[in-house]
Amino acid sequence: MQWTELIVFILLFGLVTVLGFVAARWRAAASLDHLDEWGLGGRKFGSWITWFLIGGDLYTAYTFVAVPALLFGAGATGFFALPYTIIAYPLVFLPILRMWSVSRARGYVTPADFVRGRYGSSLLALLVAITGIVATMPYIALQLVGLEAVLRSMGFNGAGLLGHLPLLIAFVILALYTYQSGLRAPALIAFVKDILIYIVILVAIIYLPTKLGGWDTIFSAAEEKFAASDAPADGILLNANNQLQYATLAFGSALALFLYPHSLTGVFASRGRDVLKRNMSALPAYSLLLGLLALLGFVAIAAGITPITNNATGRPDGNTIIPELFNAQFPSWFAGVAFAAIGIGALVPAAIMSIAAANLWTRNIYKEYIRKGATPKDEAKQAKVASLVVKFGAVLFILFIDPQYAIDLQLIGGVIILQTLPAVAIALYTRWLHRWALIAGWAVGMLWGMVLLYQIPNPTTGRVHFGGSALALDKLSIFGWQPFAGSTVQIYVGFVALAANLLVALVVTLVIRRTQVSNGTDETAAEDYHVDEHDENLRPIAVH
């Protein structure tokens, strides 16, 4: 047991726990018994709070653990996370402003609310809500993977329930202060989390290369490791097999980033369009942090770090690479600070994700299909309970399923959430695509995406199916026709599934429009996209 690291970790964890409970009184509302207050913080977060909230939401503990671990194991492929976060912000700049405006004017809490109002289709809204919940669940579970990696490095590596006890305690505390304070809790804690992360990474990126002989030594060690590897896709440079997969994964991930309900939760919580404009300009600063962070994977190679063996599975846990690097290269007290930064970094996005999933359940399933006459107080109560269920569902996922499978599901999550792009993002600009065409496109994209993912093995883990998201083109079959037979070039499955989704939606729309079938009732209006955010008398309109 690493006692010094553990004591520092507990002290900092205790600090954010206090902040989580105090957050209920921070920018206090008359009552938290309303989704606007509990689930969106009253829709009044300013530039700084929104910056920390969205940044803490998008750059998770799993990112801090897994991106450098991917570089450690596979090399240059792991850098895909850098270009995708660079192109995401200019890509979503205008759509995010439009989404905020119409949601503020109409009182929408979730992206499914927008779809329901835009097309007047409860079925399409239900599909968007279910897709968001399904794609978010493994993301929450992955925060546990990052937290468990830190706990293992501090000595908690037992098998069975006892080995997971610290994780259970952490998530019980998270569940309690999220239940009480809602979105205000992760918004306030995000300040501490991001400050700690910036300090740790900047110190590491300056101190470690100096200690290990410079970047030339580090890159030479990485090149030597990959040269001795038999894997065809690793190396410090991309090769012909993985260049297309790298590009499509980066672009597909950028498209998916703000489709996730937890990303839009941070957007809806901001108080104005000007706040979002400033944030879309400033959030790329996190990409600088991510680039520096990713390089620690190569630093770990030069330092001779080996992952801890998971006593429960008997296999090395690659997610422990960065915690072990800090453990070996830094004084115990600073390693404790780093562990706390990663651990707290798991709690912030987990809280926001559970709130976003709870909002989807409450607004688009519970109120729409179970209790149509639910009052705002009923909605808030239902969302609080749902957030608890989501959190502990993620804990059970880790307890009873191999965490490696959770990593596979994270890759699948991007494929899933991308299928909502036509109904959510494209619909911001046009209703030309018919609602039934969008439903057909969603079904085809989802089905084909799952079929393609099923065909992907992972030789490293011995998994025959659902082993990743990189599909060899020779396995791409269209009704038995293999246009790229014999090719070893890989492509991101989400990109292929989205292309099928859009193609089907386009064709079905053309067919339906020839029959002049109604496209539903549009509850949004042109003026909803140009809300005057400076109007203090503006009040959201209740969703029908």
Side-chain angles (χ1 to χ4, degrees), residues 282-295:
L283 279 168
Y286 279 99
S287 299
L288 172 63
L289 174 68
L290 181 60
L292 298 175
L293 179 66
L295 289 172

Side-chain angles (χ1 to χ4, degrees), residues 80-244:
F80 86 90
L82 193 56
Y84 109 66
T85 57
I86 292 173
I87 65 176
Y89 300 113
L91 192 67
V92 304
F93 185 89
L94 293 177
I96 284 299
L97 296 180
R98 292 173 73 88
M99 178 63 83
W100 180 89
S101 293
V102 71
S103 298
R104 178 64 178 266
R106 302 296 303 176
Y108 297 150
V109 176
T110 69
D113 279 350
F114 166 74
V115 173
R116 176 70 172 85
R118 188 65 158 148
Y119 287 97
S121 173
S122 58
L123 176 58
L124 184 57
L126 175 65
L127 293 177
V128 170
I130 292 174
T131 303
I133 293 171
V134 171
T136 300
M137 283 294 291
Y139 232 140
I140 300 174
L142 286 172
Q143 307 314 309
L144 308 187
V145 173
L147 183 54
E148 279 214 314
V150 168
L151 293 173
R152 285 199 180 102
S153 289
M154 288 191 294
F156 296 100
N157 194 26
L161 183 62
L162 186 61
H164 292 289
L165 185 59
L167 181 68
L168 292 172
I169 294 172
F171 262 69
V172 166
I173 295 172
L174 169 68
L176 291 175
Y177 65 63
T178 304
Y179 185 94
Q180 174 178 314
S181 304
L183 192 65
R184 286 173 171 81
L188 188 57
I189 295 172
F191 282 91
V192 177
K193 170 249 182 184
D194 286 357
I195 290 171
L196 287 176
I197 287 291
Y198 265 101
I199 291 173
V200 169
I201 299 308
L202 291 176
V203 170
I205 211 67
I206 295 172
Y207 171 74
L208 291 178
T210 304
K211 183 178 180 180
L212 297 174
W215 286 108
D216 179 66
T217 301
I218 290 170
F219 276 96
S220 296
E223 187 174 22
E224 183 179 342
K225 175 193 173 182
F226 295 129
S229 169
D230 295 329
D234 62 10
I236 62 172
L237 297 176
L238 297 173
N239 57 50
N241 289 327
N242 58 18
Q243 288 173 351
L244 179 62

Side-chain angles (χ1 to χ4, degrees), residues 121 123-124 433-441 508 512 517-519:
S121 173
L123 176 58
L124 184 57
L433 290 172
H434 198 277
R435 68 186 190 280
W436 287 109
L438 291 171
I439 292 171
V508 174
I512 290 178
V517 176
S518 171
N519 200 16

Side-chain angles (χ1 to χ4, degrees), residues 47 97 272-279 533-534:
S47 297
L97 296 180
R273 289 166 61 96
D274 288 344
V275 169
L276 290 174
K277 289 176 184 178
R278 286 191 287 268
N279 269 271
E533 65 268 28
H534 302 296

Side-chain angles (χ1 to χ4, degrees), residues 166-521:
L167 181 68
L168 292 172
I169 294 172
F171 262 69
V172 166
I173 295 172
L174 169 68
L176 291 175
Y177 65 63
T178 304
Y179 185 94
Q180 174 178 314
S181 304
L183 192 65
R184 286 173 171 81
L188 188 57
I189 295 172
F191 282 91
V192 177
K193 170 249 182 184
D194 286 357
I195 290 171
L196 287 176
I197 287 291
Y198 265 101
I199 291 173
V200 169
I201 299 308
L202 291 176
V203 170
I205 211 67
I206 295 172
Y207 171 74
L208 291 178
T210 304
K211 183 178 180 180
L212 297 174
W215 286 108
D216 179 66
T217 301
I218 290 170
F219 276 96
S220 296
E223 187 174 22
E224 183 179 342
K225 175 193 173 182
F226 295 129
S229 169
D230 295 329
D234 62 10
I236 62 172
L237 297 176
L238 297 173
N239 57 50
N241 289 327
N242 58 18
Q243 288 173 351
L244 179 62
Q245 193 263 339
Y246 180 92
T248 53
L249 180 57
F251 184 58
S253 299
L255 291 175
L257 187 60
F258 277 88
L259 291 173
Y260 281 105
H262 57 272
S263 301
L264 287 175
T265 296
V267 171
F268 292 158
S270 64
R271 73 182 176 208
R273 289 166 61 96
D274 288 344
V275 169
L276 290 174
K277 289 176 184 178
R278 286 191 287 268
N279 269 271
M280 291 300 108
S281 301
L283 279 168
Y286 279 99
S287 299
L288 172 63
L289 174 68
L290 181 60
L292 298 175
L293 179 66
L295 289 172
L296 294 182
F298 288 166
V299 172
I301 294 175
I305 301 299
T306 56
I308 295 175
T309 298
N310 184 344
N311 289 338
T313 64
R315 294 199 307 266
D317 181 2
N319 294 307
T320 60
I321 288 296
I322 295 306
E324 283 300 284
L325 174 65
F326 290 141
N327 224 357
Q329 300 296 321
F330 284 108
S332 297
W333 68 269
F334 190 81
V337 173
F339 292 165
I342 297 172
I344 296 167
L347 300 184
V348 171
I352 304 171
M353 290 171 189
S354 66
I355 290 170
N359 289 344
L360 283 168
W361 159 261
T362 302
R363 187 59 76 96
N364 306 114
I365 300 177
Y366 175 76
K367 184 174 182 178
E368 185 75 32
Y369 292 96
I370 299 175
R371 192 175 179 184
K372 288 184 177 291
T375 64
K377 186 175 182 179
D378 294 332
E379 287 183 6
K381 185 181 296 185
Q382 183 68 204
K384 291 177 181 180
V385 174
S387 72
L388 296 179
V389 173
V390 168
K391 289 185 189 71
F392 287 102
V395 172
L396 292 175
F397 189 92
I398 291 297
L399 292 179
F400 297 108
I401 298 179
D402 180 2
Q404 178 65 41
Y405 187 56
I407 293 172
D408 295 341
L409 277 184
Q410 192 273 338
L411 301 175
I412 297 170
V415 179
I416 293 172
I417 201 65
L418 271 173
Q419 306 318 310
T420 65
L421 185 142
V424 176
I426 294 178
L428 282 166
Y429 292 92
T430 177
R431 291 179 72 243
W432 186 83
L433 290 172
H434 198 277
R435 68 186 190 280
W436 287 109
L438 291 171
I439 292 171
W442 175 91
V444 170
M446 195 70 71
L447 178 62
W448 200 31
M450 293 303 104
V451 169
L452 293 177
L453 288 167
Y454 181 80
Q455 300 176 24
I456 300 176
N458 190 332
T460 303
T461 61
R463 193 173 301 283
V464 180
H465 304 293
F466 296 107
S469 62
L471 177 75
L473 287 180
D474 67 340
K475 292 185 179 180
L476 187 60
S477 176
I478 306 174
F479 298 110
W481 174 50
Q482 291 182 293
F484 306 102
S487 174
T488 58
V489 174
Q490 296 177 320
I491 191 170
Y492 176 48
V493 169
F495 193 82
V496 177
L498 178 61
N501 183 338
L502 290 170
L503 179 62
V504 169
L506 175 63
V507 172
V508 174
T509 296
L510 290 172
V511 172
I512 290 178
R513 286 192 174 278
R514 286 183 176 272
T515 63
Q516 297 182 340
V517 176
S518 171
N519 200 16
T521 302

